[in-house]
Amino acid sequence: MQAAFAAGVLACLQDEHISFDLCYGVSAGAANLVNFLTGDMEASRSFYLDPEARKKVFSFSNFITKGSYVDFDRIYNDSEKLTKALDADSSLTVVATNAFTGDPAYFTKRMLEKHGLEILKASSSLPPACPPHLVGNIPYLDGGIADLVPVKKALEQGADKIVVLSTYPLQEEADLEKFYSAALLFDWKYPGAAKALRENVIRYNEAVALVRQLEAEGKLLSIYADDDHGVQALSRGTAGVQELWDQGYEKGKLVRDFLGADSRHSWWRRLLPFIPPKPPISPIQNDQQS
């Protein structure tokens, strides 16, 4: 899985004792982030390097038993670890998309304490691989649909030092055609989500333009993989995964240089492993206590 790159970066940050005040988790990034906040990035590494585990998580047979290609119950099943993550000094927010309205939902500690595991599953529910997931009585989809690169949100919360992790370089004029195909699945029942899917590329390109501006101002560091080693978003084998992890670990050393002497910063974590072509994105940080 391509998320192994950003997980490798997080493993480096864990070993470097770099922590953050604010953490925003989207999709697979939420699972990695829970491990990061509990000092257990080895759990992420074990998952990425265990093909048998991933074959059970990603399987067409899950459509029959779960109604989804991804068996989230095998990924998000440790409520005690989530509780520990919520008790960390960092403030965790998980992003999902309201399937009715298409608007982003930012779930903070209060809601995570009540619906934590279901929110984590909802944040990763990206069509067509996964249907909407209920949180309470409201269906939600992957947070990246409504807010693929929430740099603007980080700035609104006082961010002035931002680090973005991505499997690929952020590129303006991204053309995510599969979002349009997925939107057709929701037109009849969730028109808000369908609209958000169709507008996803517009929001993404706007976010990338903002990223470029902040880079020019010296306020943002973008870290991405130079080589994906042939690893696909839903890869079930281990070929290239260790190399991708190791590459992320080495790139993680750039973060301390960017942040300088103050290694405690707020940050946003974003991984969207189910978006195929170019832009599965990752993290963001800032100096402000929130």
Side-chain angles (χ1 to χ4, degrees), residues 216-252:
E217 295 172 356
K219 297 178 180 179
L220 184 146
L221 171 67
S222 180
I223 298 179
Y224 53 84
D226 297 319
D227 184 350
D228 63 13
H229 296 281
V231 178
Q232 300 299 311
L234 298 179
S235 294
R236 302 174 78 190
T238 59
V241 175
Q242 181 67 64
E243 290 80 1
L244 198 57
W245 174 284
D246 292 342
Q247 185 182 172
Y249 192 95
E250 286 302 310
K251 292 249 181 172

Side-chain angles (χ1 to χ4, degrees), residues 188-206:
W188 65 280
K189 190 172 183 180
Y190 302 112
K195 184 173 184 290
L197 280 164
R198 292 189 175 95
E199 295 177 349
N200 181 280
V201 175
I202 297 174
R203 289 191 300 273
Y204 169 76
N205 289 330
E206 291 174 346

